[in-house]
Amino acid sequence: MHPSSMRIKKSVGAMVATEPFWLRALLIGAAYLIIGALILVPIVYVFVQAFAEGWTGYINNLVRDKDTLHSIWLTLSVAPLAVLFNTVLGIAAAWCLTRFKFPGRTLLVTLLDVPFAISPVVVGLMFLMLFGMQGFFGPTLQQWGVKIVFAWPGLVLATTFVTLPFVARELIPLMESLGDEEEVAAVSLGANPWQLFWRITLPNIKWGLVYGMIQCNARAIGEFGAVYVISGHIAGETDTMPLRVEKLFQEYNNPGSFAVASLLTLMALGTLLGKYVLELWIARQIASHQSDVEGT
Amino acid sequence: MFLLAGCGSGNAPAPVTTGAAPANATTPENKAPEGAPTNAPAAGKDVELLNVSYDPTRELWKDLNAAYAPVYAKETGGTINIKQSHGGSGPQARAIIDGLEADVATLALWPDTNQLHKKGLIKEGWENALPNRSLPYTSTIVFVVRKGNPKGIKDWPDLVKPDVQIITPNPKTSGNGKMSLLAGWGSVILNGGTEDQAKAYITQLYKQVPILDTGARGATTTFAQKGQGDVHLTWESEAHLEVEEAKGELEIVIPPQSILAEPHIAVVDSNVDRKGTRAAAESYLKFLYTPEGQDIIAKHYYRPTSPEALAKHADRFPQIKIFTITDISKSWDEAQAKFFADGGLFDQIYNK
């Protein structure tokens, strides 16, 4: 999706130049003002609050509080697990939906978007209803000694569900546009399914995949609603970073709360940077690919 | 005792396969209270307990847990790690029922704890399982106003003056919320008002509540940190904490009359028996009744139930006319059905 949008950027730029200067200045100025007021000011405010007690206070708020430290660790393990599951699921779903024609295929594509459509709170409740002690599987799971809700598996499950569409949504249009000629050729030359995937499909989709994973990760780190319902609010056990931010704020620990919030913000900015670098990289790949094509 | 320990380490699923099994397994333990305080915690040397409580007790339990750890270490030679979970009293009870493995439930109101009993998690007679009807402390509902009390709020009738905005949590989910409503109701009924007058008063009161948070602490944040509203109806303990944190921006107003809140504590029988943590859980809750526990309770402005502790900290707790739930309703169950159930009084007045 994004490579094509980048390709048309050039022509759009050419059109803008026909507008009078004052109009351009006005519109661009307004854009900066709005983005500054809506995005930059709150972000700066988070950091100002976080550093209210200076550098040492900031570090202490993050590492001296063992519940906060645990929340950081928990988020840094729950989010990658969710990304991992969704990468596997996303590739499988995209493969299945773009390489095979079967009845109900369109319905399946629509169903993939369900996690985006449902409120995260409902997702949390849904899992609580399924795996809680009042729910369908809860009593059996307890007999087996398996904890899902109010424990980290529930957090992973809820986060995975909420971020399910990211990778698949990125891959489906990409794989559709790529077509299956190369794969058919590989199979006709005797490639087995593993060779087919590792040597043909994966190299073709890798940037789309990484892009999807980055988006999935950003959303997984920030997830609040679903995990709020399913966490049980146990400090030092099931509080992820977003939950910890709320808890510290409610416990009058503003610097602590904003310290965790600033760390979340940094993670988000890091993700954005990763996405930006990736987009540049893809644009360059496309450019060099095009010049290759023109050269031959 | 031995049998339990064996089950815990060896074939763990055995005692929980049927509903009857845990009951059998626990009887020997219950029948031997003389052995419990010393032997039992020693059996599981390092113990982890989960205390599921209501919203504003975070600081109280943090202090109590820190004070109890050395006591436990001295008694048993082991270490104890107590985890805390806080939220609106109703949802917290619900979470325990849904499988949150609380060893002890320290909820705001009797109906919430009794809900655990109704679902079979807590045994019959739980209310008398610990001293003083399982009440280490009581509390009441007071007002917090902005500096200088600009709206002149002194008593319950002042709340419904025009242009007063009230902050209090949702009575459907919060113990604080329920108590605020019942206290307001009682202020009419017990001063010669009729049911209709009480209903009119409560209707007006909730018309002046712009935001209903799910738990007490959420409402505190709304009032104190986000600056919404003119008066905050909250727990006495929460009011003091809030005013201290606000550094002169807020003031407490103690109304001449308010309601008695009884936050019962209970060991969650089905969980401690499955986890083998009964002895530690019981010893933990009994610590609340010791002079040390009662002092910490008083320090956080919860009214200690031991007469000695209350006398010692009398200066912290102004005398006010306190009425109980039975002064305005036959029982908690009846009050729950009348005021807070679906289609009950609160639904009738708030949805209008």
Side-chain angles (χ1 to χ4, degrees):
Chain A
M1 245 162 145
H2 39 92
S4 58
S5 67
M6 258 172 276
R7 243 171 282 171
I8 55 171
K9 226 179 238 170
K10 257 183 204 164
S11 53
V12 172
M15 275 158 59
V16 168
T18 62
E19 307 293 341
F21 173 77
W22 64 267
L23 186 61
R24 271 186 287 153
L26 191 76
L27 289 175
I28 293 171
Y32 273 114
L33 204 71
I34 290 168
I35 289 176
L38 287 183
I39 298 177
L40 219 56
V41 170
I43 289 182
V44 169
Y45 183 73
V46 166
F47 284 94
V48 168
Q49 285 283 328
F51 284 96
E53 294 171 353
W55 261 104
T56 45
Y58 180 76
I59 300 293
N60 281 345
N61 277 324
L62 288 179
V63 301
R64 284 280 169 81
D65 184 327
K66 67 177 179 20
D67 291 344
T68 296
L69 216 51
H70 186 276
S71 76
I72 297 171
W73 179 84
L74 192 63
T75 289
L76 291 182
S77 34
V78 167
L81 275 173
V83 173
L84 179 75
F85 289 143
N86 279 332
T87 304
V88 175
L89 284 171
I91 293 173
W95 182 284
C96 171
L97 289 168
T98 58
R99 294 298 178 257
F100 302 99
K101 297 273 176 277
F102 52 88
R105 183 179 160 276
T106 345
L107 181 71
L108 217 57
V109 175
T110 315
L111 279 180
L112 255 186
D113 279 343
V114 163
F116 278 170
I118 303 181
S119 156
V121 174
V122 177
V123 174
L125 285 175
M126 208 170 70
F127 283 119
L128 201 57
M129 290 286 91
L130 271 179
F131 299 114
M133 282 304 286
Q134 298 288 295
F136 202 67
F137 301 112
T140 317
L141 288 167
Q142 194 186 59
Q143 277 182 25
W144 294 345
V146 178
K147 274 209 259 184
I148 292 189
V149 293
F150 309 124
W152 68 267
L155 302 179
V156 174
L157 204 63
T159 309
T160 305
F161 186 91
V162 168
T163 57
L164 188 74
F166 281 106
V167 175
R169 272 280 142 211
E170 197 62 37
L171 290 185
I172 289 171
L174 180 65
M175 286 177 74
E176 235 154 30
S177 72
L178 282 169
D180 59 1
E181 288 90 353
E182 289 185 30
E183 286 158 10
V184 170
V187 171
S188 74
L189 292 171
N192 68 32
W194 276 117
Q195 287 172 321
L196 177 66
F197 177 72
W198 289 109
R199 303 230 179 130
I200 309 295
T201 311
L202 191 62
N204 275 335
I205 63 168
K206 63 184 174 197
W207 296 120
L209 182 64
V210 173
Y211 194 82
M213 286 165 74
I214 286 176
Q215 284 187 308
C216 179
N217 187 52
R219 180 73 177 76
I221 284 174
E223 172 49 32
F224 182 85
V227 297
Y228 183 84
V229 174
I230 215 166
S231 81
H233 312 293
I234 309 169
E237 199 169 310
T238 59
D239 278 345
T240 59
M241 284 172 72
L243 299 182
R244 187 75 192 145
V245 171
E246 195 223 14
K247 196 169 266 187
L248 286 168
F249 185 72
Q250 290 199 336
E251 289 169 8
Y252 299 100
N253 187 348
N254 272 7
S257 170
F258 279 98
V260 183
S262 74
L263 202 60
L264 267 177
T265 310
L266 280 179
M267 288 180 183
L269 291 177
T271 306
L272 272 184
L273 188 71
K275 198 174 129 189
Y276 177 70
V277 169
L278 189 71
E279 276 169 358
L280 282 184
W281 172 259
I282 292 171
R284 200 178 302 159
Q285 292 280 306
I286 288 169
S288 72
H289 181 69
Q290 272 170 348
S291 65
D292 282 357
V293 173
E294 280 156 21
T296 49
Chain B
M1 190 56 45
F2 236 89
L3 187 114
L4 245 185
C7 286
S9 55
N11 48 346
V16 288
T17 39
T18 67
N24 288 340
T26 56
T27 14
E29 188 163 50
N30 286 344
K31 290 278 156 66
E34 70 282 347
T38 48
N39 281 353
K45 260 199 168 185
D46 297 338
V47 177
E48 187 174 293
L49 295 182
L50 175 59
N51 180 354
V52 174
S53 191
Y54 56 114
D55 216 10
T57 54
R58 304 154 193 245
E59 293 78 13
L60 169 70
W61 285 110
K62 212 171 265 178
D63 266 12
L64 283 168
N65 294 347
Y68 177 66
V71 174
Y72 181 86
K74 210 168 134 195
E75 266 179 18
T76 66
T79 60
I80 191 160
N81 180 14
I82 300 160
K83 299 236 151 125
Q84 294 173 237
S85 167
H86 297 273
S89 188
Q92 289 291 83
R94 169 84 219 226
I96 297 173
I97 292 164
D98 278 329
L100 183 58
E101 293 188 325
D103 297 278
V104 302
T106 56
L107 301 169
L109 300 181
W110 186 88
D112 295 326
T113 314
N114 199 51
Q115 196 62 28
L116 304 179
H117 165 60
K118 283 186 187 163
K119 296 283 178 183
L121 295 163
I122 291 182
K123 282 182 216 151
E124 189 65 49
W126 64 269
E127 209 185 310
N128 292 314
L130 287 156
N132 209 347
R133 289 175 47 240
S134 297
L135 288 169
Y137 64 84
T138 61
S139 191
T140 187
I141 298 291
V142 302
F143 308 159
V144 179
V145 296
R146 309 235 169 252
K147 189 179 177 179
N149 197 358
K151 300 276 165 98
I153 296 158
K154 296 252 178 324
D155 197 357
W156 293 93
D158 300 331
L159 296 176
V160 294
K161 286 196 289 200
D163 81 292
V164 170
Q165 289 225 310
I166 304 159
I167 300 294
T168 197
N170 191 341
K172 300 282 266 189
T173 56
S174 158
N176 176 184
K178 287 188 174 67
M179 279 306 182
S180 296
L181 190 151
L182 293 173
W185 181 268
S187 77
V188 178
I189 292 280
L190 297 175
N191 292 309
T194 63
E195 287 254 329
D196 284 341
Q197 284 167 332
K199 196 168 169 180
Y201 171 79
I202 291 295
T203 308
Q204 187 54 40
L205 195 153
Y206 280 94
K207 268 193 190 137
Q208 293 172 218
V209 177
I211 308 150
L212 287 173
D213 288 280
T214 49
R217 185 54 60 83
T220 306
T221 313
T222 299
F223 183 73
Q225 284 167 274
K226 298 178 189 159
Q228 301 285 318
D230 304 301
V231 55
H232 177 202
L233 312 189
T234 190
W235 299 115
E236 186 175 34
S237 52
E238 186 73 354
H240 281 278
L241 179 66
E242 183 178 357
V243 168
E244 255 167 52
E245 290 288 338
K247 297 182 179 70
E249 291 305 309
L250 301 175
E251 292 173 10
I252 292 187
V253 172
I254 306 276
Q257 183 181 33
S258 194
I259 194 164
L260 176 72
E262 297 187 321
H264 293 273
I265 58 172
V267 168
V268 183
D269 294 305
S270 69
N271 285 347
V272 294
D273 288 340
R274 192 178 61 253
K275 291 158 81 176
T277 49
R278 173 177 288 280
E282 283 176 349
S283 150
Y284 171 52
L285 290 188
K286 279 176 188 154
F287 170 72
L288 301 177
Y289 296 93
T290 63
E292 191 187 359
Q294 292 277 299
D295 277 349
I296 295 172
I297 283 168
K299 191 188 118 203
H300 286 271
Y301 293 96
Y302 294 86
R303 299 185 174 221
T305 48
S306 106
E308 298 81 42
L310 192 59
K312 184 174 161 191
H313 300 281
D315 55 316
R316 291 174 96 80
F317 303 105
Q319 293 268 332
I320 56 174
K321 256 202 288 179
I322 294 251
F323 60 90
T324 68
I325 183 75
T326 48
D327 291 330
I328 55 172
S329 176
K330 267 198 205 118
S331 66
W332 253 119
D333 278 336
E334 201 189 87
Q336 178 73 21
K338 176 176 174 183
F339 293 100
F340 308 117
D342 276 338
L345 186 120
F346 180 71
D347 280 346
Q348 293 165 30
I349 62 144
Y350 196 67
N351 291 333
K352 268 183 192 161

